[in-house]
Amino acid sequence: DIQMTQSPSTLSASVGDRVTITCRASQSIGTWLAWYQQKPGKAPRLLIYQASSLESGVPSRFSGSGSGTEFTLTISSLQPDDFATYYCQDYTRFYTFGQGTKLEIK
Amino acid sequence: EVQLVESGGGLVKPGGSLRLSCAASGFTFNTAWMRWARQAPGKGLEWVGLIRSKIDGESSNYAAPVRGRFTISRDDSQNMMYLQMNSLRTEDTAVYYCTTDGGGRHGELAHWGQGTLVTVSP
């Protein structure tokens, strides 16, 4: 099975900061990579699909990049609503999630 | 609007069985691949399994931890998906989510239900 490794596990940042989260796949997955945001007690929300495509309704401050085994999610200017946990997911055959990155207020 | 509503969660003893249901609406259910994911308390997301559409063979795949114990099925006439869970273990305790790309996409999980809690405890 493919392993997905996110870094960092926890990220402390302030409103207005630019932040980047990295996701590495144990083998090449092309661009079959999605990013989700999850808030406590809520279902995940799709942000980015096919590594860099912005889901409808998601603010443009979110962006994704990468291919093969290395991917990034960038939030260009953090807003109060962005403090949450973020997950990457491979959706080739195994649909494996990364372990999550908790974005906290500094 | 796409809606996914899970039901059937509850408390069950180790070794027991439970069947979860997912009622779907707002998209063409019979062409969509449907999936289950779960999240143990305080932990990350874990993919459980998927079932393909009838036209794609209605076959299913499962994550290693549940393979051989869990079975996914669907009833396209009712727009329903099911997760039959047998030989439950304490480590199966989690919120179980019904999720789908809604059809016509490539597997990114654009739609999620609110989740149903399964607790496996003596």
Side-chain angles (χ1 to χ4, degrees):
Chain A
D1 289 10
I2 292 175
Q3 309 300 318
M4 305 298 290
T5 304
Q6 287 181 235
S7 60
S9 296
T10 306
L11 180 56
S12 297
S14 301
V15 172
D17 284 354
R18 177 185 180 91
V19 299
T20 298
I21 299 168
T22 298
C23 177
R24 289 186 174 85
S26 59
Q27 61 189 78
S28 177
I29 58 171
T31 57
W32 300 114
L33 189 283
W35 289 97
Y36 301 87
Q37 177 194 67
Q38 189 181 33
K39 296 182 178 179
K42 300 292 188 182
R45 173 195 182 194
L46 177 65
L47 300 175
I48 301 287
Y49 63 97
Q50 283 186 246
S52 61
S53 296
L54 191 68
E55 178 68 0
S56 176
V58 175
S60 59
R61 63 182 179 271
F62 291 91
S63 64
S65 65
S67 65
T69 62
E70 188 141 343
F71 303 88
T72 59
L73 173 71
T74 299
I75 310 173
S76 60
S77 177
L78 272 175
Q79 299 303 301
D81 191 48
D82 300 337
F83 292 96
T85 300
Y86 293 84
Y87 295 92
C88 63
Q89 186 202 23
D90 142 60
Y91 57 103
T92 51
R93 179 185 175 194
F94 298 99
Y95 301 92
T96 309
F97 290 95
Q99 81 278 14
T101 295
K102 185 174 183 181
L103 181 52
E104 299 180 328
I105 299 175
K106 185 185 283 185
Chain B
E1 181 193 1
V2 172
Q3 281 204 311
L4 300 170
V5 179
E6 304 94 338
S7 60
L11 176 63
V12 61
K13 293 188 187 312
S17 298
L18 205 59
R19 189 175 88 150
L20 305 184
S21 300
C22 171
S25 62
F27 63 102
T28 306
F29 182 82
N30 64 2
T31 62
W33 293 20
M34 298 295 296
R35 297 160 175 86
W36 289 97
R38 68 183 181 182
Q39 187 167 38
K43 302 297 184 183
L45 296 166
E46 180 182 26
W47 176 70
V48 173
L50 69 85
I51 186 165
R52 297 173 178 82
S53 60
K54 189 169 187 175
I55 198 169
D56 290 319
E58 211 169 312
S59 56
S60 51
N61 289 101
Y62 301 92
V66 308
R67 201 171 295 147
R69 300 187 298 123
F70 289 13
T71 302
I72 300 173
S73 61
R74 62 190 296 160
D75 181 347
D76 290 351
S77 69
Q78 300 290 322
N79 286 6
M80 295 289 295
M81 177 177 65
Y82 304 98
L83 179 63
Q84 178 67 44
M85 303 185 293
N86 298 330
S87 303
L88 282 161
R89 306 167 179 167
T90 55
E91 56 264 35
D92 295 319
T93 294
V95 173
Y96 284 75
Y97 292 102
C98 168
T99 178
T100 181
D101 63 2
R105 302 185 65 160
H106 297 282
E108 55 272 8
L109 302 176
H111 308 287
W112 296 70
Q114 83 288 352
T116 187
L117 177 62
V118 172
T119 303
V120 184
S121 180

